[in-house]
Amino acid sequence: MPRWTRKFILRLRSLFRRRSVERELEAELQFHLERETQANLARGLDRDEAHYAARRAMGGVAQIREECRDVRGVNYFEDLGKDLRFALRMLAKHPGFTTTAVLSLALGIGANTAIFSVVDSVLLRPLAYREPERLFSVREIVPAFTALYPTLPANPRHMEEWRKQWTSMEQVAAIHTTSLGLTGAGEPAQVTAGLVSWNFFAVLGVPPQFGRGFVPGEDRPGHAGVVLLSDAAWRGRFHADPSITGRKIVLDGEPCVVAGVLPAWFRAPCVGFLRAAAPADEPELYKPLGLDLNEYSWYGDFNYGAVARLKRGVTQARALAELNVVQARITRLASGKQNFGATLEPLQEQIVGGARRGLLILFSAVAAVLLIVCVNVANLLLASAARRNRELSIRAALGATRRRLVRQALTESLLLAFLGGALGLLLANWGVHLLVGYAPVDLPRLDEIRLNATVLLFALLVSTIAGVAAGILPAMFLAPAGPGESLKAASRSATDDRHGIRLRGALIGAEVALSVVLLVAAGLLLGSLVSLLHVERGFDVNRILTMDVTLPEAKYRSGPRIDSFYRGALARIAALPGVTSAGIVSTLPLRGEAWIDGVRGDGESRASREIALANYRFVSPGYFRTMGIALRQGRTFEDRDRGRSAAVISARVAKRLWPGENPVGKRIHRDRNVYEVTGVADDIRGISLRDNPPLMVYLPYWERPRLKSSLVIRAALPPAAIATAVRREIWTVDSGVPVANVHTMQEVLDGSVAAQRFQTALIALFAIAALLLASIGIYGVVSEMVGRRTNEIGIRMALGATAFQIRWMVLRQGLAPVAAGLAMGLAGSLALGRAIHALLFGVKTTDPGIIGAVLLLLTLVAAAACYIPARRATRIEPIAALRYD
Amino acid sequence: MSKPTDLVQGTLDLLILKTIALEPMHGWAVAQRIQQTSGDVLQVQQGSLYPALHRLEQQGWIQAEWGESDNNRRAKYYSLTRAGRKQLGEELAQWQRLSTAIGMVLKTV
């Protein structure tokens, strides 16, 4: 029998056949005694003598038995049971201590678990693609645009070449997110749709939950009349109809057949945006792209998100090197005007990347709170261990080893942590509901956040770590070095337990430092939010109503038809009572970048890489007045400018093209189109509040009539009150036009900072929790100190110390570790500033106001926490104190 | 009662392995044999003998079997396992090295 099997069987036997193992040990020792007695008899001792001599020689039978058990590993489990029972008794005996410890652990573990469950649902699980480590997002480097956009989504013609020549890639798929008008399923609606190459879901490794996926050839033009529904759309718009496959729906006027429904967990990777982290609406349905490659040039249309699945075993570096070779060939094919490059980013990074820093900070904050909880519990344990010093000494004197005592102490703290963890799970369950209730609506998969097996495992892990973290210090420091020493120490009334007090001071310092860092982080984020909301926007948000309309393509095939719809609708809306003015715009402010193209002044002959890139907006003349965008020079275009190719440029464009000159009357070029500048508008923060105002060119909407536009309406009444009337007017012009996203501009603004507001609120919440916990910790330690020194304080007062002197002494000693903690916290928050720099807006990381306020706040709270026990100390009756032991 | 030091414990293991290498033996006999063969120099502390035997068994170097003793009592007999025999060889070699080394040091000083 091999050795390890033998060992294993023995282990099992000692564990499960404990009774018979014990009997055998008993018999073995008995046999030994008998033989020894016999030997002694043979040496001529009398019967009793022989027996006693044998016993003496043997020593303590109990000890031998104990050691044999130890060797067999039996004791491990027995001790665990004993320790647990003992720990339970101790906790039950000190309900105040137990309640405080369990509650604070529950808070810490609960908060961590709640945040983790959000992270798990929102960020970790959407990555459930097949072999995600082989999936990469491919973006292109186009020298002409690198000034503004270091990388761009892919050009479809380039992708076609990759398909042919890029050998380390197994497949590459494309996605383009757009918005389509859905009819034939209840009210006309505007839905976000993913236009994908046929192999998109195959590349990701996502089969539909039923029905079929797309097949080769379905992304050719004219064959694209099939659609895959997301689970959400299937449930929300089609009542989870199980026989949905084969049903016809109409998208932008074009009939499509439902081929299948995607699994509920599926979320599209965000790969198709100008900026990697651009927030995206999750597509409700997917349709094949249907591209005619001949319509695309080599140079434009960098609009398609590309996902590549690399071949097994190919490294990212090699794949990229090969891709760049292909890009060089494309450069030659495209007659070499641009040197195209490419980047590869693991899809996982791409998805998590944007949210990573924010989440990391959130996680760090909540982990810091847990750390403070652990410190508090460690402090409580230290105090209780100090009270139990005599008990520990007796146990040591009776033969408990140091290791055994440490284990006992750890069992206690772990028990506390698991009790706290169980309660924390309940709290987390409740907290998650709260989070879901208050989270910004654009947090994806909000409805699916819940506690699951992963989260339970996480809670267990965190509880264990918390238990060990809280228990290890007290256990190590207070398990007495030797029985004699500790009995000596215990016989004195502990006026000078310097070791314990100093350790607890250090813990308080750590707690304060962590609180400082958290409060500074919260302060900086709050400051950023405030300055973000008060930044000079350049447009109004009050009393402005917005909504999106999408004209069905089938009915609105020509520019003039679209134009007449908008003209009719705008005229009717503007005539409504309570409406001051109305306009349309191709993309609302704060909805990100759109329609970026070069803008050149007349006669300008810069190298292509130096051409200024501007955001183009197609607007109606009333847009400026409605949004409150001021004109600096000239006038807006008006209806009489139809056919004249007029444009309004933003002040930055004017400054860029014609610094110091009056641009009105000059001409700008977009590709081969020429527009005459009629006016200069103020710069606005059109992309997001955070981004500086972009170069902006406004063209009349009739220059390029668009099916999709946003309506903006300035109202004299509360905007919500006129929404119904506005919709009615639109449907009077055409009842088949879907109207979506009816919001006030204030709501659009709030929505654009919702994630930040939410994050800031959470961090502020954690910081306040940290502050409370720290003050409780300080209060606990100082009270404890006062309690222990009752005797001494009594003597001092009997000898004539004034109340002021006593209070000052307690305050000074209580605040000394706080001061150290403040200093450490200050250093920590300077380091933190660098970490969260990118999240800040309009505040410096070293903002003296915020940091000063935090330090002051903490000092005040700490002083208050010290003052209560300090006052109690002076109320001590000297006589009572002297009798106190 | 002070515990045997590591050196003594390690040595005890070696002595036990060597002793039962000859034939299966019960605990009392192991103690007797060690005492006798060492010319009464080595007294095996019985407080450490049984834990040592159990530890060696637990480690798989020796195995135990109940058998009849010479006076017709049931006794627990220990014998070497194959792994134990190998272990004995290693520990012997180790011991030789150690004692030679100590001897050399003592001679030069």
Side-chain angles (χ1 to χ4, degrees), chain A residues 699-725:
Chain A
L699 298 179
Y701 73 91
W702 54 78
E703 284 292 329
R704 202 171 190 284
R706 295 165 55 83
L707 293 170
K708 299 173 188 67
S709 284
S710 296
L711 275 171
V712 291
I713 299 123
R714 179 177 281 262
L717 302 169
I722 56 164
T724 319

mmCIF file of all heavy atoms in Angstrom, chain A residues 699-725:
data_model
loop_
_atom_site.group_PDB
_atom_site.id
_atom_site.type_symbol
_atom_site.label_atom_id
_atom_site.label_comp_id
_atom_site.label_asym_id
_atom_site.label_seq_id
_atom_site.Cartn_x
_atom_site.Cartn_y
_atom_site.Cartn_z
ATOM 1 N N LEU A 699 -25.255 73.385 -39.569
ATOM 2 C CA LEU A 699 -25.755 73.528 -40.940
ATOM 3 C C LEU A 699 -27.275 73.462 -40.892
ATOM 4 O O LEU A 699 -27.842 72.808 -40.005
ATOM 5 C CB LEU A 699 -25.212 72.393 -41.820
ATOM 6 C CG LEU A 699 -23.682 72.336 -41.970
ATOM 7 C CD1 LEU A 699 -23.287 71.147 -42.838
ATOM 8 C CD2 LEU A 699 -23.150 73.631 -42.568
ATOM 9 N N PRO A 700 -27.958 74.104 -41.839
ATOM 10 C CA PRO A 700 -29.419 74.010 -41.876
ATOM 11 C C PRO A 700 -29.826 72.560 -42.104
ATOM 12 O O PRO A 700 -29.178 71.855 -42.902
ATOM 13 C CB PRO A 700 -29.804 74.875 -43.078
ATOM 14 C CG PRO A 700 -28.594 75.666 -43.425
ATOM 15 C CD PRO A 700 -27.417 74.918 -42.932
ATOM 16 N N TYR A 701 -30.868 72.098 -41.405
ATOM 17 C CA TYR A 701 -31.240 70.682 -41.504
ATOM 18 C C TYR A 701 -31.610 70.314 -42.924
ATOM 19 O O TYR A 701 -31.477 69.176 -43.341
ATOM 20 C CB TYR A 701 -32.369 70.358 -40.521
ATOM 21 C CG TYR A 701 -33.730 70.889 -40.902
ATOM 22 C CD1 TYR A 701 -34.598 70.092 -41.665
ATOM 23 C CD2 TYR A 701 -34.156 72.152 -40.520
ATOM 24 C CE1 TYR A 701 -35.843 70.576 -42.025
ATOM 25 C CE2 TYR A 701 -35.394 72.641 -40.883
ATOM 26 C CZ TYR A 701 -36.240 71.846 -41.641
ATOM 27 O OH TYR A 701 -37.467 72.307 -42.015
ATOM 28 N N TRP A 702 -32.081 71.316 -43.724
ATOM 29 C CA TRP A 702 -32.486 70.965 -45.104
ATOM 30 C C TRP A 702 -31.301 70.688 -46.011
ATOM 31 O O TRP A 702 -31.459 70.182 -47.097
ATOM 32 C CB TRP A 702 -33.384 72.059 -45.685
ATOM 33 C CG TRP A 702 -32.791 73.466 -45.633
ATOM 34 C CD1 TRP A 702 -31.851 73.972 -46.468
ATOM 35 C CD2 TRP A 702 -33.094 74.492 -44.705
ATOM 36 N NE1 TRP A 702 -31.523 75.248 -46.130
ATOM 37 C CE2 TRP A 702 -32.285 75.606 -45.043
ATOM 38 C CE3 TRP A 702 -33.969 74.589 -43.613
ATOM 39 C CZ2 TRP A 702 -32.311 76.807 -44.317
ATOM 40 C CZ3 TRP A 702 -34.002 75.788 -42.933
ATOM 41 C CH2 TRP A 702 -33.176 76.885 -43.272
ATOM 42 N N GLU A 703 -30.096 71.004 -45.538
ATOM 43 C CA GLU A 703 -28.907 70.641 -46.323
ATOM 44 C C GLU A 703 -28.791 69.119 -46.428
ATOM 45 O O GLU A 703 -28.233 68.586 -47.380
ATOM 46 C CB GLU A 703 -27.633 71.183 -45.665
ATOM 47 C CG GLU A 703 -27.399 72.660 -45.851
ATOM 48 C CD GLU A 703 -27.089 72.999 -47.304
ATOM 49 O OE1 GLU A 703 -26.493 72.139 -47.996
ATOM 50 O OE2 GLU A 703 -27.453 74.110 -47.756
ATOM 51 N N ARG A 704 -29.234 68.437 -45.410
ATOM 52 C CA ARG A 704 -29.122 66.989 -45.407
ATOM 53 C C ARG A 704 -30.275 66.453 -44.556
ATOM 54 O O ARG A 704 -30.097 66.128 -43.384
ATOM 55 C CB ARG A 704 -27.784 66.579 -44.775
ATOM 56 C CG ARG A 704 -27.318 65.185 -45.173
ATOM 57 C CD ARG A 704 -25.887 64.980 -44.685
ATOM 58 N NE ARG A 704 -25.279 63.782 -45.212
ATOM 59 C CZ ARG A 704 -25.562 62.563 -44.785
ATOM 60 N NH1 ARG A 704 -26.424 62.377 -43.821
ATOM 61 N NH2 ARG A 704 -24.949 61.512 -45.331
ATOM 62 N N PRO A 705 -31.478 66.419 -45.138
ATOM 63 C CA PRO A 705 -32.648 66.054 -44.335
ATOM 64 C C PRO A 705 -32.469 64.664 -43.736
ATOM 65 O O PRO A 705 -32.111 63.718 -44.449
ATOM 66 C CB PRO A 705 -33.790 66.073 -45.360
ATOM 67 C CG PRO A 705 -33.271 66.911 -46.471
ATOM 68 C CD PRO A 705 -31.805 66.642 -46.541
ATOM 69 N N ARG A 706 -32.669 64.597 -42.432
ATOM 70 C CA ARG A 706 -32.384 63.343 -41.730
ATOM 71 C C ARG A 706 -33.667 62.736 -41.191
ATOM 72 O O ARG A 706 -34.564 63.430 -40.746
ATOM 73 C CB ARG A 706 -31.408 63.593 -40.586
ATOM 74 C CG ARG A 706 -30.030 64.043 -41.073
ATOM 75 C CD ARG A 706 -29.236 64.608 -39.936
ATOM 76 N NE ARG A 706 -29.140 63.659 -38.838
ATOM 77 C CZ ARG A 706 -28.236 62.693 -38.803
ATOM 78 N NH1 ARG A 706 -27.343 62.583 -39.752
ATOM 79 N NH2 ARG A 706 -28.218 61.860 -37.809
ATOM 80 N N LEU A 707 -33.679 61.394 -41.213
ATOM 81 C CA LEU A 707 -34.872 60.710 -40.729
ATOM 82 C C LEU A 707 -35.012 60.861 -39.215
ATOM 83 O O LEU A 707 -36.098 60.906 -38.683
ATOM 84 C CB LEU A 707 -34.799 59.229 -41.107
ATOM 85 C CG LEU A 707 -34.879 58.961 -42.611
ATOM 86 C CD1 LEU A 707 -34.558 57.510 -42.915
ATOM 87 C CD2 LEU A 707 -36.270 59.333 -43.124
ATOM 88 N N LYS A 708 -33.840 60.916 -38.572
ATOM 89 C CA LYS A 708 -33.897 60.990 -37.103
ATOM 90 C C LYS A 708 -33.437 62.360 -36.657
ATOM 91 O O LYS A 708 -32.409 62.844 -37.090
ATOM 92 C CB LYS A 708 -32.962 59.954 -36.498
ATOM 93 C CG LYS A 708 -33.317 58.547 -36.866
ATOM 94 C CD LYS A 708 -32.274 57.595 -36.388
ATOM 95 C CE LYS A 708 -32.546 56.210 -36.934
ATOM 96 N NZ LYS A 708 -32.387 56.150 -38.401
ATOM 97 N N SER A 709 -34.211 62.961 -35.764
ATOM 98 C CA SER A 709 -33.829 64.245 -35.208
ATOM 99 C C SER A 709 -34.366 64.345 -33.797
ATOM 100 O O SER A 709 -35.256 63.588 -33.399
ATOM 101 C CB SER A 709 -34.411 65.395 -36.033
ATOM 102 O OG SER A 709 -33.684 65.543 -37.224
ATOM 103 N N SER A 710 -33.776 65.290 -33.064
ATOM 104 C CA SER A 710 -34.330 65.600 -31.759
ATOM 105 C C SER A 710 -35.047 66.930 -31.861
ATOM 106 O O SER A 710 -34.547 67.865 -32.470
ATOM 107 C CB SER A 710 -33.213 65.701 -30.712
ATOM 108 O OG SER A 710 -32.590 64.453 -30.573
ATOM 109 N N LEU A 711 -36.235 66.985 -31.264
ATOM 110 C CA LEU A 711 -36.986 68.228 -31.210
ATOM 111 C C LEU A 711 -36.656 68.938 -29.907
ATOM 112 O O LEU A 711 -36.532 68.282 -28.869
ATOM 113 C CB LEU A 711 -38.478 67.917 -31.210
ATOM 114 C CG LEU A 711 -39.168 67.698 -32.544
ATOM 115 C CD1 LEU A 711 -40.570 67.186 -32.284
ATOM 116 C CD2 LEU A 711 -39.224 69.008 -33.306
ATOM 117 N N VAL A 712 -36.448 70.236 -29.960
ATOM 118 C CA VAL A 712 -36.294 70.990 -28.720
ATOM 119 C C VAL A 712 -37.373 72.073 -28.705
ATOM 120 O O VAL A 712 -37.615 72.731 -29.723
ATOM 121 C CB VAL A 712 -34.891 71.621 -28.596
ATOM 122 C CG1 VAL A 712 -33.846 70.546 -28.382
ATOM 123 C CG2 VAL A 712 -34.534 72.446 -29.813
ATOM 124 N N ILE A 713 -38.039 72.214 -27.576
ATOM 125 C CA ILE A 713 -39.159 73.138 -27.464
ATOM 126 C C ILE A 713 -38.985 73.970 -26.200
ATOM 127 O O ILE A 713 -38.842 73.404 -25.116
ATOM 128 C CB ILE A 713 -40.507 72.374 -27.387
ATOM 129 C CG1 ILE A 713 -40.700 71.553 -28.662
ATOM 130 C CG2 ILE A 713 -41.664 73.345 -27.190
ATOM 131 C CD1 ILE A 713 -40.904 70.104 -28.405
ATOM 132 N N ARG A 714 -38.957 75.284 -26.352
ATOM 133 C CA ARG A 714 -38.878 76.150 -25.177
ATOM 134 C C ARG A 714 -40.301 76.532 -24.781
ATOM 135 O O ARG A 714 -41.068 76.985 -25.633
ATOM 136 C CB ARG A 714 -38.063 77.400 -25.487
ATOM 137 C CG ARG A 714 -37.973 78.356 -24.317
ATOM 138 C CD ARG A 714 -37.105 79.529 -24.678
ATOM 139 N NE ARG A 714 -35.699 79.183 -24.592
ATOM 140 C CZ ARG A 714 -34.943 79.466 -23.518
ATOM 141 N NH1 ARG A 714 -35.459 80.068 -22.490
ATOM 142 N NH2 ARG A 714 -33.678 79.139 -23.507
ATOM 143 N N ALA A 715 -40.614 76.301 -23.527
ATOM 144 C CA ALA A 715 -41.988 76.490 -23.088
ATOM 145 C C ALA A 715 -42.071 77.575 -22.041
ATOM 146 O O ALA A 715 -41.166 77.762 -21.245
ATOM 147 C CB ALA A 715 -42.529 75.185 -22.509
ATOM 148 N N ALA A 716 -43.207 78.261 -22.036
ATOM 149 C CA ALA A 716 -43.457 79.231 -20.987
ATOM 150 C C ALA A 716 -44.053 78.508 -19.788
ATOM 151 O O ALA A 716 -43.963 78.962 -18.662
ATOM 152 C CB ALA A 716 -44.403 80.316 -21.485
ATOM 153 N N LEU A 717 -44.655 77.356 -20.069
ATOM 154 C CA LEU A 717 -45.238 76.537 -19.005
ATOM 155 C C LEU A 717 -44.208 75.499 -18.578
ATOM 156 O O LEU A 717 -43.198 75.317 -19.254
ATOM 157 C CB LEU A 717 -46.483 75.816 -19.552
ATOM 158 C CG LEU A 717 -47.581 76.698 -20.115
ATOM 159 C CD1 LEU A 717 -48.602 75.836 -20.852
ATOM 160 C CD2 LEU A 717 -48.232 77.478 -18.980
ATOM 161 N N PRO A 718 -44.477 74.788 -17.489
ATOM 162 C CA PRO A 718 -43.593 73.650 -17.174
ATOM 163 C C PRO A 718 -43.556 72.702 -18.357
ATOM 164 O O PRO A 718 -44.621 72.359 -18.897
ATOM 165 C CB PRO A 718 -44.268 73.004 -15.959
ATOM 166 C CG PRO A 718 -45.074 74.099 -15.341
ATOM 167 C CD PRO A 718 -45.470 75.024 -16.468
ATOM 168 N N PRO A 719 -42.373 72.327 -18.823
ATOM 169 C CA PRO A 719 -42.253 71.581 -20.092
ATOM 170 C C PRO A 719 -43.070 70.303 -20.113
ATOM 171 O O PRO A 719 -43.657 69.970 -21.144
ATOM 172 C CB PRO A 719 -40.758 71.262 -20.177
ATOM 173 C CG PRO A 719 -40.089 72.187 -19.235
ATOM 174 C CD PRO A 719 -41.076 72.573 -18.198
ATOM 175 N N ALA A 720 -43.134 69.612 -18.971
ATOM 176 C CA ALA A 720 -43.826 68.323 -18.981
ATOM 177 C C ALA A 720 -45.291 68.509 -19.363
ATOM 178 O O ALA A 720 -45.907 67.623 -19.957
ATOM 179 C CB ALA A 720 -43.705 67.662 -17.613
ATOM 180 N N ALA A 721 -45.853 69.696 -19.031
ATOM 181 C CA ALA A 721 -47.285 69.912 -19.252
ATOM 182 C C ALA A 721 -47.631 69.960 -20.734
ATOM 183 O O ALA A 721 -48.771 69.699 -21.113
ATOM 184 C CB ALA A 721 -47.712 71.222 -18.570
ATOM 185 N N ILE A 722 -46.644 70.317 -21.573
ATOM 186 C CA ILE A 722 -46.989 70.481 -22.988
ATOM 187 C C ILE A 722 -46.595 69.276 -23.830
ATOM 188 O O ILE A 722 -46.856 69.247 -25.037
ATOM 189 C CB ILE A 722 -46.327 71.747 -23.581
ATOM 190 C CG1 ILE A 722 -44.829 71.683 -23.378
ATOM 191 C CG2 ILE A 722 -46.892 73.010 -22.968
ATOM 192 C CD1 ILE A 722 -44.108 72.665 -24.250
ATOM 193 N N ALA A 723 -45.978 68.254 -23.184
ATOM 194 C CA ALA A 723 -45.474 67.103 -23.947
ATOM 195 C C ALA A 723 -46.586 66.444 -24.743
ATOM 196 O O ALA A 723 -46.428 66.121 -25.937
ATOM 197 C CB ALA A 723 -44.823 66.092 -23.002
ATOM 198 N N THR A 724 -47.751 66.260 -24.102
ATOM 199 C CA THR A 724 -48.850 65.577 -24.778
ATOM 200 C C THR A 724 -49.312 66.370 -25.993
ATOM 201 O O THR A 724 -49.518 65.806 -27.077
ATOM 202 C CB THR A 724 -50.035 65.398 -23.801
ATOM 203 O OG1 THR A 724 -49.492 65.039 -22.541
ATOM 204 C CG2 THR A 724 -50.983 64.339 -24.289
ATOM 205 N N ALA A 725 -49.427 67.685 -25.799
ATOM 206 C CA ALA A 725 -49.870 68.535 -26.902
ATOM 207 C C ALA A 725 -48.885 68.465 -28.065
ATOM 208 O O ALA A 725 -49.284 68.366 -29.233
ATOM 209 C CB ALA A 725 -50.015 69.970 -26.412
#
